[in-house]
Amino acid sequence: MSEFRDRSSRQPAGATVARHGRLTRSAAWRTVLAVLGGAVAVALVAVGSVAAIAVNNLHANIKTVSIGADKAGPPPSIGAMKGGFNILLAGSDTRDGQGGIGDPRHDSGSALNDVTMLMHVAHDQKSATVVSIPRDMVVPIPRCDKGGPATGLPINTTLSYGGLPCTVATVENLTGLKIQFAGLITFQGVIAMSDAVGGVDVCVNAPIHDPYTGLNLPKAGTYTLQGADALAFLRSRHGVGDGSDLGRITSQQVYLSSLVRTIKSSGTLTDFGKLYGIAEAATKNITLSENFTRLDTLVSVALVLKNIPLQNIVFVQYPGTTGGTGIFSGKVQPTRYIADQLFAALKADKPIGLDDRSVGGDHSGSTLDPNAPQPTGTSTPSPSGTPSDAQVISGLQGQTAEQRTCSVAYHF
């Protein structure tokens, strides 16, 4: 159940990975993935915190799939993993085994990737960038088990064409980044993760009612969402922004940034029961690539992600526009010149900086929270440690995990 809270009551706020995320021949990649999207780091930190105590129980929960990049080799010694790496997380909209969640009239095994997110951790481990790819974005599809190659199809078809390996191959072709780790989460997984953290605070600038997902937030303010309410919020497209997939992504970032802040707070990191619950929810509800299943490696990855400051965790949207023609009619068309700058920066391991126009632009489903303190701009060094070499890309939409934002209601 959603809990509305008056704002006045709120409180202040060894394996080596080669540069650009390429693996060395001797590297060992076996660990556990994380929760939805930018929350990839969140579950890894949680599982890593309790792995030494609950290795056997957690490891028994894990389901695996091969993505064709698995490497054999000795596990790393316990300690922060060295170098950079790339993690892909896909959120499946399958109704199979979900108890009618999503739409009780459709309980079939067919699946599309409702969410596709790529996290890049820089070689120096001081920054992480999470790129959300719109589900309706038309991209080239490589040959997969059930079809392809195709000149251009919505990226959300890749699960149906060949499961998680097809999604990984498509994103590698699209971004030029080699993906070492991958995971797949379902509706039940999102619900379990939100329950495990005790709910996630989200701000909305006006009432939101979305009959398609069942989301009903009756007035502006901050809500603590968990369970089915959290899922409805993350899936809402008709209730936020301009009603498009682009607006939904920026609204999702309101949730994801708050989720990261929640997990990295001392109240969570010092609560063993909550940490174990998060770890168990993650391992029970995420299917992982085979090279992502050793809990000792999990600890190594977790130590990296736990130490990245909030202002250096950046959520961005793969640049795209609507209103195109031909194969882009009714879909999202990539904005190549902005995307090329983004992925060139990530390949060079440059942290991504955001400017004053990054939140609240065209199609945006979010806006800065006018009642919350905001961090200084990330285009220049800040007292809190923003990298001085951050590359600001004009036209890039997104926010940092440190920024406080509200979802923008869409009235149709």
Side-chain angles (χ1 to χ4, degrees):
M1 178 66 67
S2 302
E3 178 191 354
F4 179 76
R5 302 190 308 161
D6 187 276
R7 188 176 301 280
S8 63
S9 67
R10 298 195 65 184
Q11 298 297 316
T16 300
V17 184
R19 194 170 179 81
H20 313 319
R22 291 186 174 85
L23 292 172
T24 61
R25 185 174 300 274
S26 63
W29 290 100
R30 302 176 182 276
T31 187
V32 167
L33 188 60
V35 67
L36 183 65
V40 168
V42 170
L44 286 173
V45 170
V47 180
S49 300
V50 298
I53 301 173
V55 168
N56 290 335
N57 288 343
L58 297 175
H59 193 271
N61 294 335
I62 299 170
K63 300 179 288 293
T64 64
V65 62
S66 174
I67 62 171
D70 302 328
K71 303 287 183 180
S77 57
I78 297 302
M81 185 170 286
K82 297 179 181 179
F85 48 88
N86 299 306
I87 304 172
L88 181 131
L89 182 66
S92 171
D93 73 352
T94 182
R95 273 65 169 174
D96 189 31
Q98 303 302 300
I101 295 175
D103 188 337
R105 297 168 300 175
H106 299 91
D107 194 13
S108 68
S110 62
L112 300 173
N113 27 315
D114 214 33
V115 170
T116 304
M117 293 183 176
L118 175 66
M119 170 183 259
H120 173 77
V121 174
H123 182 77
D124 64 7
Q125 302 181 350
K126 294 180 179 179
S127 63
T129 303
V130 181
V131 183
S132 294
I133 304 174
R135 59 169 289 161
D136 293 333
M137 180 169 284
V138 175
V139 299
I141 307 291
R143 182 167 297 282
C144 297
D145 286 347
K146 298 180 181 179
T151 301
L153 290 171
I155 196 169
N156 71 331
T157 62
T158 54
L159 280 184
S160 61
Y161 271 104
L164 190 59
C166 186
T167 305
V168 167
T170 301
V171 174
E172 287 184 335
N173 286 350
L174 182 66
T175 65
L177 296 174
K178 182 65 178 175
I179 295 168
Q180 290 84 31
F181 303 150
L184 179 68
I185 190 169
T186 62
F187 292 157
Q188 289 279 18
V190 174
I191 288 174
M193 291 301 301
S194 67
D195 286 341
V197 300
V200 176
D201 289 349
V202 297
C203 168
V204 298
N205 75 335
I208 295 179
H209 175 62
D210 183 353
Y212 293 90
T213 65
L215 179 66
N216 185 26
L217 305 178
K219 56 182 177 178
T222 298
Y223 294 79
T224 301
L225 300 182
Q226 63 185 100
D229 291 330
L231 177 65
F233 179 86
L234 287 165
R235 297 193 67 229
S236 179
R237 178 169 60 182
H238 297 89
V240 296
D242 62 355
S244 74
D245 192 40
L246 302 182
R248 178 171 68 167
I249 284 176
T250 49
S251 178
Q252 288 172 342
Q253 291 170 352
V254 173
Y255 179 100
L256 294 172
S257 61
S258 179
L259 177 57
V260 171
R261 292 193 299 270
T262 299
I263 295 297
K264 288 174 75 73
S265 70
S266 59
T268 298
L269 293 176
T270 59
D271 186 333
F272 174 82
K274 185 174 289 187
L275 287 173
Y276 185 81
I278 295 169
E280 187 174 42
T283 55
K284 279 185 174 179
N285 292 285
I286 300 175
T287 299
L288 307 168
S289 56
E290 288 178 352
N291 57 350
F292 213 20
T293 58
R294 285 187 66 106
L295 291 176
D296 48 3
T297 305
L298 166 63
V299 176
S300 298
V301 173
L303 288 172
V304 173
L305 299 173
K306 185 173 71 172
N307 292 328
I308 298 177
L310 289 173
Q311 71 272 12
N312 295 353
I313 300 173
V314 180
F315 299 96
V316 299
Q317 178 177 285
Y318 191 107
T321 60
T322 56
T325 59
I327 62 173
F328 301 112
S329 179
K331 304 296 180 183
V332 177
Q333 182 173 356
T335 306
R336 301 287 187 187
Y337 74 95
I338 300 178
D340 288 347
Q341 295 176 66
L342 170 62
F343 292 106
L346 295 183
K347 288 176 187 177
D349 279 320
K350 288 184 175 294
I352 301 301
L354 300 173
D355 59 27
D356 293 339
R357 296 169 294 176
S358 296
V359 177
D362 293 341
H363 308 290
S364 183
S366 68
T367 186
L368 292 175
D369 184 343
N371 297 308
Q374 296 297 331
T376 58
T378 57
S379 57
T380 57
S382 72
S384 55
T386 300
S388 59
D389 60 342
Q391 181 166 335
V392 178
I393 301 171
S394 180
L396 191 64
Q397 297 291 301
Q399 69 168 87
T400 69
E402 186 183 33
Q403 286 178 299
R404 309 274 176 152
T405 52
C406 299
S407 289
V408 174
Y410 171 58
H411 301 285
F412 54 94

